[in-house]
Amino acid sequence: MQNISFTKYKTSQEIIKAANSRPDAPKLFVETYGCQMNVADSELIMSVMIDAGFAVCDRPEDADVLFINTCAVRDNAEQRIRNRLQALAHLKKKKSGMLFGLLGCMAERIKEQLLEQEQIVDIIAGPDSYRTLPALVAKAKEGESAVNVLLSREETYADISPVRKDTNGVSAFVSITRGCDNMCAFCVVPFTRGRERSRSPQTILDEIRQILAEGYKEVTLLGQNVDKYNWNNEEVKFAQLLKMVAELDPQLRVRFATSYPQDFTDEVLQIMANHPNICKYIHLPVQAGSTRMLETMRRGYTREWYLNRIEAIRKFVPDCAISTDIIAGHPTETEQDHFETLSLMQSVGYDYAYMFKYSERPGTYAARNLPDEVSEEDKSRRLDEIIALQSKLSHESNKKDVGKTFEILIEGESKKSKHKLFGRNSQNKVVVFERKDTKIGEYAHVKITGCTSATLMGELIEPN
Ligand code: SAH
Ligand code: F3S
């Protein structure tokens, strides 16, 4: 097998081309579910496998090895993946020797039992075991059981250059921390992704220099709780890292996710305020509106603390958009708690929200100690009320933008018309406009002329 020298090639596309030109290289297909961290992990997986001699393909039916990078955060995510596996099962019948791997959080949660539950699966690999994937594939080929679900306190894959295959070439994800130490009552992530650890600033900056050289215009720094970023006993904390990244290139847009209310500092806000290229957008999950519920969820902050953080955002970065995550029907939630969630949403006036029905996850504090006893009916009704309120708030937020002009980074063609492009403004809102002679990857100035609750519509104006 011909080895690929990664340093010889400038871009992911060149690496993929070189990998795919090797005669007889077995083909890999990777399908990704869940959060942005999984998207970034799939790019590491791609890199590890290409390094081990694999080619990559665009369709599952062409693959010799098919990996599904999974999510376990709610039961319906796992159900979707099980259904997908069933839908792919016929491929194995057609192609003898084809191998299926389940990777990521669901693999970590269910471990080797998955081999029994889903008989078509050959390989099980948790989020800290991706370096061993080629060895696991080799084992599976020999008919041996191929499972690695060891979690690590150190692994950050800092030295692996991700191969960005399914990308728009404009916007890239870079992980800065892995794992989570928060142990929110409802959440399975600390069990599937292990302990919190930070990656060295040097390797983060090097990776961003590399994507800049490849022509990317935007980076999103990723971690379950980016505010806990901590290198070498607080020598570099998140605020300093953010500053270093922003100062690499004023043309590079910088985003980050996810922020945690307890740990989110004014220092970060000051750095945002002082660097125009740090996008004015914060994702600050609240989960619930009453202090009683937040305590039950073991979130470590009160309603008042959270609202104080919102005030700080408004003070330091007045034009900042704010989004959140909300769970409806967490164990012990009463109508009064639910009402406080709605009232908090109203007083913050979120620009956007990700809203979920509580789903019990085996092994979590809530599953062990708090019976899942809010009725299905109440959960659904509360979620519907939350969604209806957010749709109203998003629409109100968008209406305020009509008449304003924003700098947009153009990301792609509108789904509805090839004469239109879409991009995002600093506040992370999607803006659709007539393309004229603009191109994907460029910045453009767009005046907003209309909106729905989900999208802003506008027209190009000449920059002055
Ligand atoms: N800190 C992480 C959170 C990961 S989970 C981050 O970077 O986004 C994403 C969201 O899923 C959580 O904020 C929460 O709102 C939701 N969630 C987590 N566990 C859940 C559960 N058991 N039921 C319903 N929603 C859940
Ligand atoms: Fe989950 Fe709470 Fe961490 S939601 S990922 S345990 S911050």
Side-chain angles (χ1 to χ4, degrees):
M1 194 73 60
Q2 204 181 322
N3 256 342
I4 289 191
S5 156
F6 275 58
T7 45
K8 204 170 120 194
Y9 299 98
K10 279 207 294 291
T11 69
S12 288
Q13 301 320 315
E14 286 171 5
I15 291 170
I16 290 169
K17 211 170 144 205
N20 289 358
S21 68
R22 291 176 293 191
D24 306 327
K27 292 194 192 71
L28 170 73
F29 180 80
V30 183
E31 193 163 294
T32 308
Y33 291 81
C35 62
Q36 296 170 329
M37 187 71 89
N38 263 10
V39 174
D41 280 358
S42 289
E43 294 169 347
L44 291 171
I45 290 163
M46 200 72 86
S47 178
V48 169
M49 297 298 285
I50 287 178
D51 206 21
F54 279 77
V56 293
C57 58
D58 298 320
R59 305 184 316 166
E61 52 269 42
D62 298 331
D64 299 297
V65 172
L66 186 150
F67 286 160
I68 303 188
N69 192 1
T70 64
C71 172
V73 83
R74 283 168 294 276
D75 184 58
N76 58 9
E78 292 192 0
Q79 281 315 326
R80 251 182 91 203
I81 291 159
R82 288 185 196 273
N83 292 341
R84 179 65 179 146
L85 270 176
Q86 292 321 310
L88 290 167
H90 70 282
L91 296 178
K92 267 191 121 167
K93 293 205 189 94
K94 277 196 218 138
K95 195 174 202 172
S96 79
M98 185 176 184
L99 296 173
F100 278 13
L102 271 198
L103 279 43
C105 288
M106 182 178 171
E108 187 65 51
R109 190 181 82 70
I110 311 181
K111 303 188 167 58
E112 42 275 274
Q113 278 172 32
L114 257 180
L115 293 178
E116 286 152 41
Q117 291 172 11
E118 303 291 337
Q119 302 243 327
I120 52 171
V121 172
D122 308 284
I123 297 154
I124 301 284
D128 285 346
S129 70
Y130 298 149
R131 286 180 201 267
T132 67
L133 282 169
L136 290 172
V137 170
K139 259 180 134 181
K141 246 191 209 152
E142 298 301 313
E144 290 173 43
S145 128
V147 179
N148 186 350
V149 288
L150 287 176
L151 288 174
S152 152
R153 277 174 172 263
E154 283 97 35
E155 181 63 276
T156 59
Y157 301 108
D159 57 316
I160 298 180
S161 302
V163 173
R164 294 183 165 82
K165 178 172 172 287
D166 301 311
T167 161
N168 59 8
V170 180
S171 189
F173 296 128
V174 172
S175 310
I176 62 165
T177 69
R178 296 184 72 85
C180 186
D181 282 354
N182 275 19
M183 299 299 249
C184 302
F186 50 82
C187 186
V188 77
V189 171
F191 301 91
T192 59
R193 288 192 163 270
R195 300 301 298 271
E196 205 163 73
R197 65 219 102 120
S198 298
R199 178 178 168 190
S200 83
Q202 213 44 56
T203 60
I204 295 169
L205 294 172
D206 283 348
E207 190 179 325
I208 298 172
R209 285 193 193 98
Q210 167 69 22
I211 59 172
L212 275 167
E214 289 189 36
Y216 284 86
K217 298 285 167 54
E218 180 177 274
V219 64
T220 305
L221 307 176
L222 293 181
Q224 302 301 333
N225 173 358
V226 289
D227 300 302
K228 290 284 277 298
Y229 180 83
N230 173 1
W231 180 250
N232 217 0
N233 276 331
E234 310 211 336
E235 188 184 306
V236 183
K237 295 201 282 179
F238 181 58
Q240 289 94 47
L241 179 74
L242 186 61
K243 184 164 183 283
M244 291 193 272
V245 172
E247 288 174 2
L248 274 178
D249 181 346
Q251 284 295 305
L252 175 73
R253 271 190 173 185
V254 184
R255 299 185 184 277
F256 54 88
T258 300
S259 305
Y260 195 80
Q262 185 68 33
D263 307 311
F264 188 60
T265 61
D266 288 357
E267 206 183 348
V268 168
L269 288 169
Q270 267 155 354
I271 286 166
M272 287 178 79
N274 292 337
H275 293 79
N277 62 329
I278 303 179
C279 289
K280 306 296 177 269
Y281 169 64
I282 294 171
H283 181 57
L284 196 66
V286 67
Q287 313 298 356
S290 79
T291 294
R292 194 198 70 77
M293 200 67 250
L294 291 168
E295 258 169 31
T296 310
M297 289 176 160
R298 308 191 132 195
R299 290 287 288 180
Y301 55 88
T302 60
R303 176 186 176 100
E304 289 67 35
W305 174 281
Y306 185 88
L307 290 173
N308 166 285
R309 293 291 75 211
I310 298 291
E311 255 176 56
I313 297 172
R314 304 278 187 230
K315 183 173 121 203
F316 286 102
V317 193
D319 56 346
C320 195
I322 304 174
S323 65
T324 200
D325 289 350
I326 294 176
I327 299 178
H330 189 275
T332 81
E333 186 184 72
T334 62
E335 280 306 307
Q336 176 59 27
D337 293 317
H338 169 58
F339 175 75
E340 290 192 41
T341 297
L342 297 173
S343 81
L344 180 128
M345 290 171 70
Q346 190 87 49
S347 58
V348 175
Y350 290 112
D351 299 280
Y352 191 80
Y354 300 87
M355 301 154 285
F356 314 103
K357 210 189 279 188
Y358 173 72
S359 164
E360 185 175 277
R361 306 282 63 215
T364 57
Y365 178 88
R368 283 180 285 117
N369 300 287
L370 306 168
D372 180 11
E373 55 191 14
V374 176
S375 71
E376 189 50 38
E377 209 184 334
D378 280 342
K379 275 186 197 165
S380 296
R381 176 186 44 80
R382 289 177 193 169
L383 180 64
D384 287 347
E385 290 174 9
I386 289 168
I387 292 172
L389 173 57
Q390 186 51 47
S391 159
K392 187 177 130 247
L393 294 174
S394 297
H395 204 181
E396 279 168 12
S397 155
N398 285 353
K399 279 193 270 193
K400 283 191 207 145
D401 290 336
V402 175
K404 292 185 191 162
T405 298
F406 293 108
E407 186 181 59
I408 308 298
L409 176 57
I410 307 174
E411 288 181 28
E413 222 167 61
S414 154
K415 279 193 203 99
K416 294 197 187 126
S417 156
K418 62 175 192 285
H419 302 294
K420 290 189 174 165
L421 295 178
F422 79 92
R424 276 165 218 269
N425 66 5
S426 175
Q427 287 75 8
N428 204 37
K429 289 188 181 176
V430 173
V431 180
V432 179
F433 58 96
E434 244 0 277
R435 69 189 313 160
K436 299 206 175 138
D437 53 3
T438 54
K439 291 190 199 66
I440 293 168
E442 289 177 351
Y443 286 103
H445 287 85
V446 176
K447 182 168 182 180
I448 306 306
T449 53
C451 71
T452 64
S453 61
T455 315
L456 299 175
M457 279 81 76
E459 51 197 39
L460 274 172
I461 61 162
E462 294 304 318
N464 44 27

